[in-house]
Amino acid sequence: MKNIILSLVIIFCTSFAYGQTEIVPKTPFTKTYLGVWLVASEHCLEVARAMPEELYSYKPTALSKSFGEQMVHIGYTVELLTKRYVQGMDVKQNTPDASKMSKAEILEILENGLTYTTNVIYTIEQEQLDESCVMYHSGNTVSRAFAFFYLQDHMTNHRAKANLYLRMNNIQPPEYTW
C-alpha cells in the first residue's frame, strides 16, 4: 500500500509541477479500468495483510501453493504479465522463492507488482492498447487492452484461493465490497 500511495504521490507531484491539477489515465479505456484495478488491488493487499506471518507457509494440500507463494505469485506475475502482454516486452519468468521470505518482503513484492501495473494504466497510450498479443497459455490473440482483463482475472483467481486459506485457519477474510 505504501508503494501504491508513494507512486500516486510522485505522479501527482510531477503533474502538479507541470501545471496539471488532475492525474488521469490517457485513454477512455484506462480511465474506466483504473477504478476497477485500484479496488481489486487494495482488496488483494487486505487479504495478504490478514494472514499472520506464521501462517504464510500454510498450504491446504501438498500440491497447493502456500499462502505466501500465492501472494508472491500474484505480485510477481502481475508485473510480468503487464510487461509481456500489455507492454509487449520479452520477459522470462523467474519467481522469487516465498519460503525464504518474510511477510514484509512478500508484501513488498505484492505492492511493487500492483504499483507497476497501476503506473502502466496511467501512462499507456491508445495505440499500444490497440495492438494485439498472443496469450501463451491459450494461443488466443487479443488486444493489449483486453490483456488487462486477464491480469485482473489471474489476480482474482489466486486471491480467492488465499481467501480460502484464511477461512481454513479460522480467520475472517476482509470484506469484499464494490
Side-chain angles (χ1 to χ4, degrees):
M1 181 63 182
K2 293 183 292 186
N3 288 339
I4 290 173
I5 292 171
L6 179 61
S7 296
L8 291 174
V9 168
I10 290 169
I11 291 169
F12 175 78
C13 291
T14 302
S15 296
F16 186 75
Y18 290 97
Q20 297 178 359
T21 58
E22 186 178 356
I23 307 163
V24 294
K26 296 180 175 187
T27 75
F29 170 78
T30 53
K31 286 176 187 174
T32 301
Y33 184 75
L34 177 64
V36 174
W37 177 256
L38 291 176
V39 169
S41 296
E42 183 55 34
H43 187 63
C44 191
L45 288 166
E46 289 169 354
V47 169
R49 291 183 198 112
M51 184 66 93
E53 181 159 14
E54 63 272 12
L55 292 175
Y56 259 59
S57 61
Y58 171 79
K59 55 180 169 177
T61 71
L63 297 176
S64 301
K65 287 180 179 358
S66 70
F67 184 89
E69 288 169 332
Q70 293 286 1
M71 294 298 111
V72 166
H73 183 73
I74 293 168
Y76 180 79
T77 58
V78 135
E79 182 174 336
L80 175 100
L81 297 174
T82 298
K83 288 177 178 178
R84 182 180 287 162
Y85 295 131
V86 177
Q87 296 178 290
M89 297 178 183
D90 183 22
V91 291
K92 305 294 181 220
Q93 190 160 339
N94 186 19
T95 307
D97 184 353
S99 70
K100 297 177 182 175
M101 303 172 78
S102 68
K103 178 179 177 177
E105 291 168 323
I106 292 171
L107 283 170
E108 184 176 354
I109 286 175
L110 186 58
E111 290 168 348
N112 289 344
L114 297 170
T115 298
Y116 183 89
T117 299
T118 301
N119 289 335
V120 171
I121 294 168
Y122 273 107
T123 58
I124 196 163
E125 301 284 349
Q126 188 63 49
E127 297 77 30
Q128 194 168 9
L129 290 172
D130 291 340
E131 294 173 1
S132 63
C133 62
V134 177
M135 308 302 281
Y136 75 93
H137 284 98
S138 65
N140 293 332
T141 300
V142 300
S143 70
R144 295 197 189 282
F146 187 86
F148 275 119
F149 294 117
Y150 171 66
L151 288 169
Q152 185 173 343
D153 184 64
H154 182 264
M155 175 174 62
T156 301
N157 174 44
H158 291 281
R159 185 185 73 216
K161 292 174 185 178
N163 252 345
L164 289 174
Y165 291 17
L166 290 171
R167 289 189 190 282
M168 294 170 91
N169 283 282
N170 298 313
I171 299 167
Q172 180 65 37
E175 184 177 344
Y176 177 76
T177 59
W178 192 252

